[in-house]
């Protein structure tokens, strides 16, 4: 066979194949365009025939998205933007009205809400306000509720702008409190020096050498123990009706005995006794926000997502509200986690005499419990480590906790704190075993008598030690 002829034949075959391939490609392309065109026309026809169904759905979704932006997302972003101007924040809150006059009329809207919300404690004494402080009405809650229930996007009355009504909303959602009468009885020993006149016989010798005895008066000082007593009438919070629910406060009577150095050099200490009622237990709502949800439902806000938006917007504008709420929920033992080792922890001191529980106290939140000495008013009782751990702080602090020890347990998940100690038994960095002596009970720092302030924290969050140990107050 001639190789040249063979090559020529191959070239011809390749040329025919290439032409066939191009033709097939052109045919496939035309067919694809034809099918696509037909499918497109078919799709348009289906959309046109079903427009009555899908157009309203798309419109609803678009309205919902716009509502979300206007009612929640944009106001929240403005609230959290540190660089946003007051005008931007107010404008976002009021719905971005383009009417400059409308903005000017509402430029101080946040200040109005703060001023009105600050009246939550009207009629309460300083002591009553301190007890109820944790139930303070947040101005941001007032603003968010007023904003939502009067938003034209949430209403069907045809209004085009927000017509806020903070005074009436405040009257609807402000907290209500009930108090009871209580008496604090205080008895105090006081050593005082008093002058008194006594008669003494003085002997002398007269001119004749005779001994003469005469009685004269002399003024001397002596130490006298006085017992002073007084009573103080106070009001104790028993019930708080709030947007979060109803809280019931229960109390029990205790007797506190403290000793302070005596002025009498012949007596070491003098005693002070206080009999009073202290908070023993708080009954919490079985379901948080039930009154709040009922109020919003009554005003046409029924979707769960909208109610959640109110709370989210509130915490964005007022972080303190979120903090107060976390304190309240820390009372609810059902929210407590199951902690490793909790059933085998060691109680930290010989005494089990509780003197002050976890919770609101004097306008603040007591983040632990106080345990008085077995020998009331006497320093020196041992304090033990609750569990194995590492000492992260041990020092004679000048702060309110006085001499303190902090110990981390379980790879730093749990921390225990021991405050107002008299002496330290450990140093920072020490590895301790459960039951090791960490210090002795004292009266250092901001303390009114010998006791231990004891805290248990999980990941920084303070938990009630009485939940883990059977301590009564």
């Amino acid at each position: 066979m001639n190789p040249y002829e063979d090559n020529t034949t191959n070239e011809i075959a390749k040329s025919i194949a290439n032409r066939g391939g191009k033709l097939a490609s052109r045919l496939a392309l035309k067919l694809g365009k034809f099918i696509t065109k037909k499918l497109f026309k078919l799709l348009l026809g289906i959309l046109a025939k079903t427009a009555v169904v899908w157009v309203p759905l798309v419109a609803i979704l678009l309205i919902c998205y716009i509502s979300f932006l206007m009612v929640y997302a944009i106001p929240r972003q403005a609230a959290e933007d540190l660089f946003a101007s007051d005008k931007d924040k107010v404008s976002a809150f009021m719905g971005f009205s383009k009417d400059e006059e409308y903005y000017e009329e509402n430029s101080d809207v946040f200040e109005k809400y703060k001023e009105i919300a600050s009246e939550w404690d009207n009629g309460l004494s300083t002591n009553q306000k301190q007890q109820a402080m944790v139930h303070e009405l947040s101005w941001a809650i007032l603003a968010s509720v007023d904003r939502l229930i009067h938003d034209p996007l949430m209403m069907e009355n045809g209004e085009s702008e927000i017509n806020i009504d903070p005074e009436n909303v405040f009257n609807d959602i402000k907290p209500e409190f009930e108090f009871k009468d209580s008496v604090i009885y205080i008895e105090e020993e006081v050593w005082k020096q008093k002058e008194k006149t006594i008669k003494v016989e003085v002997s002398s010798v007269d001119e004749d050498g005779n001994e003469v005895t005469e009685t004269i008066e002399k003024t001397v000082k002596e130490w006298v123990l006085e017992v002073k007593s007084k009573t103080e009438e106070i009001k104790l919070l028993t019930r708080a009706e709030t947007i979060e629910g109803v809280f019931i406060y229960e109390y029990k009577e205790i007797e506190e005995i403290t000793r302070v150095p005596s002025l009498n050099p012949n007596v070491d200490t003098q005693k002070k006794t206080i009999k009073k009622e202290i908070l023993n237990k708080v009954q919490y709502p079985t379901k948080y926000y039930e009154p709040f949800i009922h109020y919003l439902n009554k005003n046409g806000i029924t979707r769960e997502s909208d109610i959640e938006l109110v709370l989210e917007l509130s915490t964005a504008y007022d972080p303190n509200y979120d903090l107060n709420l976390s304190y309240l929920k820390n009372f609810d033992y059902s929210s407590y986690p199951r902690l490793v080792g909790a059933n085998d922890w060691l109680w930290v001191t010989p005494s089990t005499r509780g003197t002050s529980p976890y919770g609101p106290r004097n306008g603040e939140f007591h983040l632990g419990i106080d345990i008085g000495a077995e020998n009331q008013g006497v320093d020196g009782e041992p304090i033990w480590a609750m569990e194995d751990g590492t000492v992260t702080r041990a020092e004679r602090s000048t702060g309110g906790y006085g001499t303190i020890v902090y110990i981390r347990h379980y790879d730093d998940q749990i921390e225990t704190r021991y405050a107002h100690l008299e002496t330290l038994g450990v140093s920072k960095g020490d590895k301790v075993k459960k039951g090791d002596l960490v210090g002795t009970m004292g009266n250092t720092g901001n303390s009114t008598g010998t006791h231990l302030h004891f805290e248990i924290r999980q990941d920084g969050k303070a938990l009630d030690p009485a939940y883990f140990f059977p301590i009564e107050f």
Side-chain angles (χ1 to χ4, degrees), residues 88-356:
D88 289 339
K89 291 183 179 181
V90 173
S91 183
F93 182 81
M94 299 305 295
F96 288 99
S97 171
K98 295 181 180 180
D99 187 343
E100 189 67 23
E101 182 179 351
Y102 179 75
Y103 165 73
E104 291 297 334
E105 291 176 356
N106 294 281
S107 60
D108 61 345
V109 64
F110 292 158
E111 296 305 318
K112 287 181 180 178
Y113 282 123
K114 291 177 182 178
E115 180 181 353
I116 293 172
S118 68
E119 297 176 1
W120 71 272
D121 60 348
N122 273 5
L124 301 184
S125 67
T126 300
N127 179 263
Q128 289 173 318
K129 180 179 177 180
Q130 287 178 342
Q131 296 176 65
M133 183 66 74
V134 73
H135 300 292
E136 174 185 9
L137 177 65
S138 166
W139 72 268
I141 283 284
L142 174 62
S144 300
V145 172
D146 193 27
R147 167 76 164 80
L148 189 64
I149 66 177
H150 293 110
D151 194 296
L153 294 173
M154 307 297 293
M155 303 166 67
E156 298 179 357
N157 57 9
E159 295 185 12
S160 59
E161 62 182 29
I162 301 171
N163 292 308
I164 59 175
D165 188 11
E167 288 86 358
N168 283 330
V169 173
F170 171 77
N171 289 329
D172 290 339
I173 68 173
K174 67 179 180 180
E176 300 289 343
F177 305 106
E178 293 180 9
F179 294 84
K180 74 169 186 175
D181 294 326
S182 184
V183 176
I184 299 176
Y185 175 77
I186 303 172
E187 184 179 275
E188 188 173 10
E189 296 179 344
V190 180
W191 284 99
K192 288 187 175 181
Q193 276 191 317
K194 288 191 173 182
E195 292 184 348
K196 72 174 184 178
T197 301
I198 61 173
K199 293 182 179 181
V200 296
E201 291 184 348
V202 179
S203 297
S204 62
V205 178
D206 62 15
E207 295 178 352
D208 300 327
N210 299 318
E211 184 176 352
V212 178
T213 302
E214 62 178 330
T215 302
I216 64 172
E217 292 186 345
K218 184 178 181 181
T219 301
V220 296
K221 290 183 178 181
E222 67 175 354
W223 288 99
V224 177
L225 178 63
E226 294 183 355
V227 179
K228 295 183 176 180
S229 62
K230 65 177 182 178
T231 58
E232 179 183 346
E233 296 182 355
I234 61 170
K235 299 281 188 179
L236 294 178
L237 177 64
T238 57
R239 182 183 178 92
E241 296 184 15
T242 72
I243 60 171
E244 293 89 9
V246 177
F247 297 80
I248 306 296
Y249 288 75
E250 299 177 4
Y251 298 84
K252 69 172 294 185
E253 291 186 357
I254 67 163
E255 181 180 281
E256 288 183 353
I257 299 178
T258 58
R259 292 187 176 273
V260 296
S262 169
L263 296 176
N264 185 345
N266 302 312
V267 178
D268 292 333
T269 60
Q270 56 193 39
K271 183 173 69 172
K272 181 178 182 180
T273 303
I274 300 176
K275 296 178 182 179
K276 62 180 180 179
E277 290 184 278
I278 65 167
L279 182 63
N280 183 51
K281 182 180 179 182
V282 181
Q283 295 182 16
Y284 311 104
T286 54
K287 183 179 179 181
Y288 278 90
Y289 289 113
E290 202 163 27
F292 188 54
I293 293 171
H294 177 72
Y295 175 75
L296 291 178
N297 288 346
K298 189 174 68 174
N299 284 275
I301 309 301
T302 58
R303 289 184 303 186
E304 185 176 341
S305 59
D306 291 333
I307 295 171
E308 290 176 354
L309 292 184
V310 175
L311 298 175
E312 288 287 339
L313 193 58
S314 300
T315 55
Y317 276 98
D318 184 10
N320 285 335
Y321 173 69
D322 202 28
L323 182 63
N324 278 351
L325 184 60
S326 69
Y327 283 155
L328 286 174
K329 289 188 173 180
N330 277 2
F331 276 121
D332 185 0
Y333 288 162
S334 65
S335 68
Y336 276 35
R338 294 178 63 88
L339 299 181
V340 176
N343 294 330
D344 194 37
W345 286 342
L346 175 72
W347 179 237
V348 295
T349 188
S351 175
T352 56
R353 187 173 61 86
T355 58
S356 186

Side-chain angles (χ1 to χ4, degrees), residues 46-91:
I46 293 173
L47 289 174
K49 290 180 180 180
T50 59
V52 68
V53 176
W54 65 263
V55 168
L57 290 175
V58 171
I60 291 173
L61 290 174
L62 184 60
I63 291 173
C64 289
Y65 180 68
I66 293 174
S67 299
F68 172 78
L69 290 177
M70 299 297 291
V71 175
Y72 170 67
I74 294 175
R76 172 157 188 156
Q77 183 178 6
E80 294 178 338
D81 186 355
L82 297 177
F83 300 101
S85 66
D86 291 341
K87 181 175 181 179
D88 289 339
K89 291 183 179 181
V90 173
S91 183

